[in-house]
Amino acid sequence: MPTPITQRHNANAIRALAMDAVQKANSGHPGAPMGMADIAEVLWRKFLKHNPKDPKWLNRDRFVLSNGHGSMLHYALLHLSGYDVSIDDLKNFRQLHSKTPSHPEYGYTAGIETTTGPLGQGIANAVGFAIAEKTLANQFNRDGHEIINHNTYCFLGDGCLMEGISHEACSLAGTLELGKLVVYYDDNGISIDGEVEGWFSDDTQKRFEAYGWQVQTVDGHDSEAIGKATENALNESKKPSLIICKTVIGAGSPNKQGKEDCHGAPLGNDEIALTRETLGWTAEPFVIPQEIYDAWNGVAKGEVVQGNWQAEFDSYQKAYPELAKELLRRMNADLPADFEQKAQDFIKQCQANPENIASRKASQNAINALQPLLPELLGGSADLAGSNLTWFKNAKALENDPAGNYIHYGVREFGMTAIANGIALHGGFIPYVATFLMFMEYARNAVRMSALMKQRVINVYTHDSIGLGEDGPTHQPVEQLASLRATPNLHTWRPCDTVESMVAWVESLKAKTTPSALIFSRQNLPHQNRDDAQVANIAKGGYVLAKEQADLQAIIIATGSEVELAMNAYQELSGQGVGVRVVSMPCAEVFVSQDSAYRESVLPSNVRSRVAVEASHVDYWYKFVGLDGKVIGMTTFGESAPAKDLFNHFGITSEAVVSVVKSLI
């Protein structure tokens, strides 16, 4: 290996590891890591503030690889810098249970800040990181004590910029003046189908300048130019920065660089041999010369940087002990010590003071009650605050107050939800976002990602059924609840009144590793009477709301607005001597997680006459009623008419419940 070690040698280490790991796995994307190696070398060795020995250090810079298919770039960087990613881990690239899965996955690998792969969501996550940093800094920093002061760096490619979510997120980033967000665009002109100019001819520079970004264009293989552009980005305090890096995909491969051939397939042993020769890389596969390890190792520098920050934090802690304690609590994702007791008091108050109101209004009441206990609550809505009722008494919008607690996301459902994922991942906040349930569809993949990453993001979805009425089938959700409930590690709550709405909020806030979807009505819902035991059982996801008054013959299961129909049917059937009970099941996922004894006490297995009623798609409920049971709900799209007329038209009525129960017994 030539001496002294140069930046190009250090970058070639990335190229060698990327092509070796992809070849061994016989699967993967070598082109992006090889093309972006020079950019990565400059950023990680010269600018990135991090400590490989403490990947969760509070004030570290955040790095996001939005073009997550190039994951071997990230894994090579972690390995070379001194993170807990070994050569054996790289050899196990894309293998079962390895630390190096096909795309970067949060929680699998030290140093991975977010799960990327679905293109465009990484840049939206990065915007969330930058929002969290700026807001947290304004909430906690004091004169002479800048304890929150870090940057968010993001790599992205053509695919990320073609995805519409990049527009949503980057537009908002410019509006919010996220000056500590620095994005490097791997402008290599190649995607899986070939040269992108046939289907991607945007003027990216003008596009981002229109968003209010600082934009620079450099040769992505010129280390000095990359460094200067990065310095310029860091000197810009208000505008987020885009550095357009003109690169060659698969740089170093004599026969495949610049072509789609190296985008998503191994180079092949013969081409790797030629590439080694071209790069002057003489080491064997998966062997890195010690002098290059020495040049890359970020541990000593990281420990100095973190040590300096720790000294600053110690000084801050002495000057502002309560603030420091609060910051650490929030960054540890712990709720306040008195939260549980006060939350239970609110629930009892709701039961003691009945209100017949829409559950969306009950949700707003819950936010107003709980938010003063939780300064980390960072809310927002996709231009529907007045309809979702997510604005609260102490709300301060970020565009007016950088230390605020509310984000006007505009009509950006997908971007909003992915940004919230980034906020949650950053730490220090519990984000909630809101839109109509129908428009969850725009955000669907970001909801899935929060569930996959086990992030506490609360999704507020109102206007939950045909009950929203005249807006018609375009706005009336039918299949959305089934979609949410089918998502692993997601709690979907559909409360029937103020009490269940408060419980849904409390349990969602307590669910540290699970996102939630809170489903609320537009129309008013009646208060349901309960004793203390029933109130306590709401948190179990399903409970007996009305007990049978004779030998148990049938069970009615309902959620949300249809609990009222179930209770009306219960009164009529009980008056006729039918032994029927009503089970309210605001969160089926939580209910099925209870022990078998509790589930049996609510839904006795020997009672096969069961009816589920919900103004949503019927298929989901057969898991509870069985093939012998019946489900009253939707099998078609809705219609445009007043809500009462729609419920009658589709046969979702208490009379229908009575009739079906009788037919079963």
Side-chain angles (χ1 to χ4, degrees):
M1 186 64 61
T3 54
I5 299 299
T6 66
Q7 287 184 280
R8 181 55 57 88
H9 293 135
N10 290 325
N12 285 344
I14 297 172
R15 295 185 171 99
L17 290 172
M19 62 185 181
D20 288 344
V22 171
Q23 186 64 38
K24 186 176 187 301
N26 196 30
S27 173
H29 300 74
M34 296 175 73
M36 298 192 78
D38 298 304
I39 309 167
E41 188 273 339
V42 172
L43 173 61
W44 276 64
R45 292 192 62 247
K46 303 295 183 182
F47 293 98
L48 193 70
K49 182 174 65 177
H50 64 125
N51 182 2
K53 295 303 180 186
D54 188 359
K56 292 297 185 182
W57 168 39
L58 187 154
N59 199 44
R60 68 192 181 279
D61 288 337
R62 270 57 168 185
F63 174 77
V64 177
L65 183 70
S66 188
N67 45 344
H69 56 271
S71 57
M72 263 311 303
L73 172 66
H74 206 165
Y75 299 144
L77 290 166
L78 294 172
H79 170 72
L80 293 167
S81 298
Y83 285 81
D84 184 21
V85 178
S86 68
I87 278 290
D88 285 339
D89 292 325
L90 301 186
K91 290 179 179 179
N92 284 325
F93 178 54
R94 289 188 162 223
Q95 305 309 301
L96 185 64
H97 302 315
S98 77
K99 288 183 183 178
T100 51
S102 57
H103 294 88
E105 290 191 37
Y106 178 80
Y108 273 66
T109 315
I112 299 295
E113 300 284 2
T114 181
T115 300
T116 56
L119 293 176
Q121 288 199 60
I123 177 58
N125 294 163
V127 171
F129 282 123
I131 289 173
E133 188 279 338
K134 182 176 180 179
T135 308
L136 206 65
N138 279 280
Q139 289 181 356
F140 283 93
N141 288 352
R142 295 295 182 267
D143 289 344
H145 298 279
E146 285 199 348
I147 53 163
I148 304 296
N149 180 17
H150 53 267
N151 299 295
T152 300
Y153 297 100
C154 179
F155 285 2
L156 53 72
D158 293 303
C160 294
L161 292 180
M162 283 187 262
E163 291 285 1
I165 189 175
S166 68
H167 163 70
E168 296 183 26
C170 295
S171 168
L172 186 61
T175 299
L176 294 179
E177 297 183 339
L178 303 180
K180 290 186 177 179
L181 174 61
V182 182
V183 178
Y184 300 81
Y185 166 31
D186 180 26
D187 185 11
N188 61 36
I190 296 292
S191 68
I192 292 175
D193 282 351
E195 296 180 5
V196 301
E197 60 184 10
W199 50 87
F200 184 52
S201 57
D202 302 16
D203 189 326
T204 299
Q205 178 169 339
K206 289 181 180 178
R207 171 186 166 186
F208 275 78
E209 286 173 347
Y211 292 153
W213 288 51
Q214 172 185 262
V215 184
Q216 305 170 77
T217 300
V218 300
D219 178 348
H221 302 294
D222 183 336
S223 298
E224 184 177 355
I226 297 164
K228 287 182 179 178
T230 303
E231 289 174 357
N232 292 339
L234 296 177
N235 288 330
E236 171 53 62
S237 61
K238 286 192 175 181
K239 294 182 178 181
S241 291
L242 178 71
I243 303 174
I244 301 174
C245 301
K246 298 289 186 178
T247 62
V248 177
I249 191 171
S253 170
N255 298 309
K256 296 189 176 183
Q257 68 177 15
K259 301 176 182 177
E260 64 269 22
D261 300 29
C262 64
H263 183 286
L267 297 181
N269 289 323
D270 291 344
E271 186 66 16
I272 288 176
L274 289 173
T275 303
R276 277 184 151 74
E277 184 178 342
T278 300
L279 297 176
W281 187 267
T282 58
E284 294 297 311
F286 294 105
V287 174
I288 302 295
Q290 186 59 48
E291 56 267 31
I292 288 185
Y293 274 130
D294 293 341
W296 265 103
N297 196 316
V299 173
K301 180 181 177 182
E303 290 183 339
V304 169
V305 172
Q306 183 174 353
N308 291 339
W309 175 86
Q310 187 61 52
E312 293 179 9
F313 185 77
D314 291 344
S315 175
Y316 175 83
Q317 206 164 22
K318 291 178 181 177
Y320 303 99
E322 292 305 314
L323 275 178
K325 181 180 178 181
E326 178 70 359
L327 175 61
L328 292 177
R329 177 191 71 78
R330 286 172 55 172
M331 292 303 293
N332 287 331
D334 296 328
L335 296 176
D338 61 352
F339 175 82
E340 180 66 21
Q341 183 58 56
K342 289 185 176 180
Q344 294 305 316
D345 289 343
F346 288 136
I347 293 169
K348 291 176 182 178
Q349 289 171 23
C350 288
Q351 186 62 40
N353 298 282
E355 290 185 282
N356 296 339
I357 57 177
S359 56
R360 60 172 173 157
K361 179 60 180 175
S363 167
Q364 186 179 48
N365 292 346
I367 298 170
N368 278 321
L370 296 168
Q371 187 277 329
L373 307 179
L374 298 168
E376 62 263 46
L377 204 59
L378 183 57
S381 178
D383 201 47
L384 289 168
S387 295
N388 298 145
L389 301 185
T390 50
W391 186 259
F392 52 92
K393 291 177 183 176
N394 299 321
K396 298 176 182 177
L398 292 190
E399 69 266 23
N400 300 320
D401 183 351
N405 51 22
Y406 195 88
I407 302 172
H408 286 107
Y409 282 102
V411 187
R412 300 181 176 97
E413 294 90 353
F414 192 6
M416 168 183 73
T417 309
I419 287 169
N421 289 346
I423 292 171
L425 287 158
H426 178 280
F429 295 99
I430 301 174
Y432 73 81
V433 295
T435 186
F436 290 170
L437 177 56
M438 185 66 247
F439 303 129
M440 173 280 295
E441 294 290 352
Y442 287 130
R444 179 74 184 86
N445 200 262
V447 175
R448 183 178 189 270
M449 294 302 290
S450 60
L452 183 65
M453 292 189 285
K454 301 179 180 179
Q455 293 304 298
R456 180 168 45 184
V457 176
I458 300 174
N459 302 279
V460 175
Y461 298 132
T462 67
H463 296 61
D464 67 347
S465 72
I466 58 171
L468 69 89
E470 292 87 342
D471 283 347
T474 59
H475 285 53
Q476 291 166 6
V478 172
E479 70 275 29
Q480 284 65 42
L481 279 171
S483 176
L484 290 167
R485 288 168 175 152
T487 304
N489 194 44
L490 177 68
H491 291 167
T492 301
W493 292 84
R494 188 170 184 249
C496 74
D497 66 358
T498 58
V499 182
E500 286 191 1
S501 296
M502 180 66 80
V503 172
W505 263 104
V506 170
E507 293 304 308
S508 298
L509 290 164
K510 289 162 58 178
K512 208 170 183 179
T513 60
T514 306
S516 301
L518 306 185
I519 314 299
F520 297 120
S521 72
R522 179 191 189 186
Q523 71 272 33
N524 288 345
L525 305 179
H527 172 83
Q528 300 297 335
N529 293 320
R530 304 173 184 85
D531 59 29
D532 290 345
Q534 288 172 310
V535 171
N537 284 337
I538 296 172
K540 296 180 179 179
Y543 65 102
V544 178
L545 176 61
K547 291 193 68 173
E548 60 277 9
Q549 298 178 15
D551 291 342
L552 183 58
Q553 297 171 275
I555 300 172
I556 305 170
I557 306 170
T559 78
S561 52
E562 287 66 67
V563 169
E564 177 184 9
L565 304 182
M567 290 298 292
N568 290 341
Y570 168 84
Q571 294 296 337
E572 183 172 342
L573 289 164
S574 297
Q576 297 174 14
V578 178
V580 62
R581 71 168 51 170
V582 174
V583 171
S584 177
M585 195 173 290
C587 187
E589 300 81 23
V590 170
F591 176 74
V592 298
S593 72
Q594 303 303 313
D595 61 61
S596 59
Y598 179 76
R599 297 197 307 270
E600 179 69 16
S601 72
V602 175
L603 297 175
S605 55
N606 65 337
V607 181
R608 301 177 67 84
S609 297
R610 300 182 184 185
V611 178
V613 54
E614 183 177 68
S616 185
H617 202 286
V618 299
D619 281 1
Y620 177 81
W621 290 103
Y622 285 104
K623 67 190 290 183
F624 291 103
V625 302
L627 296 179
D628 296 328
K630 298 290 184 181
V631 182
I632 297 172
M634 299 293 293
T635 57
T636 68
F637 294 116
E639 297 285 350
S640 181
K644 183 178 180 180
D645 293 343
L646 290 171
F647 279 100
N648 287 328
H649 173 74
F650 288 107
I652 305 174
T653 63
S654 57
E655 292 81 6
V657 177
V658 169
S659 176
V660 171
V661 169
K662 286 183 173 180
S663 73
L664 291 176
I665 62 173

